[in-house]
Amino acid sequence: MEPLIRPITHPQSRDPDGIFPLDGKDLNSITDEALAAFFTSAPIIHQLDGTTVVRLSKKLIMKGGGSVLTSEANMLSLLSSRGSIRVPRVHRSFQVKDDTKYFGTAGYIVMDFVQGQPLDECWGGLPPTTQVEIATQVAEMIKAMQSIKLLQSDPIGGGPCRGLFFTDYSAGPFTGTAEIEAWFNHKLDICKSVNQAPKDTPPFHLTEFVITHQDISPRNLILDQHGRVWLIDWGYSGAYPPAFESAALATQSSFPDFNTMVLSRIPRYPEQEVQLDSIAYGLTTAALA
């Protein structure tokens, strides 16, 4: 399925022989203010929904916008030492107060440029055997993420929870597991009260928290020259129950063959996935209730 709105991309942003504003410069010598100013001059790799990624040099990119929060950089830093989960390395991140933005800040993350092809641009033309290899790689990364146990649910370092299961407006910040569990059960109660969820759907009881991305899709994967995939765009990530990953994959309408291949290779949590599906009305029509 083709996206309704296509992101803006400058072709020169991926030119291996291109000239970029930080080529030959020491990142440590550049102020945060100067880095933020590059958003008006550096070639755009990706721009959509108020978030922009620009090419700073042959090796560095910068992601910025009102939805770029500290928790994303924290997650990438946490994962950078784990080779089984391929993510860009963070070199700097900072926040600038901006009352015009939804969260009151504009965030910026300087990280490695992953040389390769966006998987959503090439997936359909890949041989079936290569598609299976990629799905297997993604499944192994998910398993590695789910081997990282955390004590409670939240974005890494705190902040609002975002993603498919937290409405378009985000939710929280929450003070602990009991509060986030109560939030989900409130959504379930709303859905039951208007016959949008089966009355016998059990309440949420959150007991296990692992690293979750919550938006795994070919649009957030880069296929490098060695056939390895890298997982990018960790804005929705956090410590959540493992069912959140499989439920998010099962809900996606784009790239159904990719979703099916990955889902067949990771652990499934049928009861929790049904719970999350049951609160769809509370996350959309009744998002603010």
Side-chain angles (χ1 to χ4, degrees):
M1 180 182 294
E2 289 293 323
L4 296 178
I5 302 175
R6 301 192 68 85
I8 295 171
T9 301
H10 294 163
Q12 64 268 36
S13 67
R14 294 187 175 275
D15 183 354
D17 299 317
I19 298 175
F20 306 104
L22 281 192
D23 282 341
K25 297 183 174 64
D26 179 7
L27 176 63
N28 294 325
S29 69
I30 309 298
T31 65
D32 291 348
E33 292 77 12
L35 282 173
F38 284 130
F39 265 73
T40 61
S41 59
I44 295 172
I45 295 178
H46 181 95
Q47 185 177 69
L48 185 68
D49 294 336
T51 298
T52 302
V53 180
V54 298
R55 186 83 178 267
L56 293 178
S57 71
K58 289 181 173 60
K59 295 184 177 181
L60 297 176
I61 64 170
M62 182 166 63
K63 178 179 181 178
S67 63
V68 178
L69 302 181
T70 302
S71 56
E72 181 173 0
N74 291 343
M75 178 64 82
L76 288 168
S77 296
L78 173 66
L79 296 174
S80 62
S81 62
R82 298 178 179 267
S84 58
I85 308 169
R86 286 179 293 277
V87 301
R89 180 174 50 136
V90 172
H91 294 267
R92 189 190 301 185
S93 68
F94 57 97
Q95 298 282 317
V96 177
K97 183 176 175 58
D98 187 341
D99 292 333
T100 69
K101 306 299 184 186
Y102 182 75
F103 295 109
T105 61
Y108 301 88
I109 306 174
V110 178
M111 61 190 114
D112 287 340
F113 171 66
V114 179
Q115 183 72 53
Q117 192 169 8
L119 190 61
D120 60 340
E121 295 180 5
C122 63
W123 173 259
L126 295 173
T129 53
T130 302
Q131 291 183 339
V132 169
E133 290 171 3
I134 289 171
T136 301
Q137 286 186 49
V138 173
E140 290 304 312
M141 284 197 281
I142 292 172
K143 292 175 185 177
M145 289 154 55
Q146 294 186 348
S147 72
I148 304 172
K149 312 294 185 182
L150 294 104
L151 295 178
Q152 67 179 44
S153 181
D154 245 342
I156 302 302
C161 299
R162 296 183 294 162
L164 179 65
F165 305 117
F166 294 102
T167 82
D168 287 341
Y169 305 99
S170 74
F174 298 105
T175 58
T177 300
E179 189 174 348
I180 190 172
E181 186 177 283
W183 186 87
F184 277 103
N185 283 321
H186 172 66
K187 291 297 182 184
L188 181 58
D189 289 342
I190 289 172
C191 293
K192 288 181 178 180
S193 70
V194 292
N195 298 316
Q196 293 294 320
K199 300 293 187 184
D200 60 352
T201 304
F204 286 87
H205 184 47
L206 310 183
T207 59
E208 182 182 11
F209 307 108
V210 300
I211 297 298
T212 57
H213 183 279
Q214 292 198 100
D215 195 17
I216 294 178
S217 168
R219 68 178 177 277
N220 288 328
L221 289 160
I222 302 294
L223 179 62
D224 72 16
Q225 61 180 340
H226 304 292
R228 301 172 302 183
V229 286
W230 296 70
L231 188 50
I232 62 172
D233 195 357
W234 289 76
Y236 291 166
S237 66
Y240 302 114
F244 279 41
E245 203 75 88
S246 53
L249 270 164
T251 303
Q252 292 186 130
S253 58
S254 300
F255 302 99
D257 52 346
F258 168 86
N259 302 333
T260 299
M261 286 183 195
V262 176
L263 284 167
S264 69
R265 290 167 170 78
I266 62 174
R268 300 295 299 270
Y269 305 87
E271 182 175 290
Q272 294 94 326
E273 290 176 28
V274 168
Q275 283 178 306
L276 290 166
D277 185 62
S278 296
I279 62 171
Y281 175 86
L283 300 174
T284 52
T285 305
L288 298 178

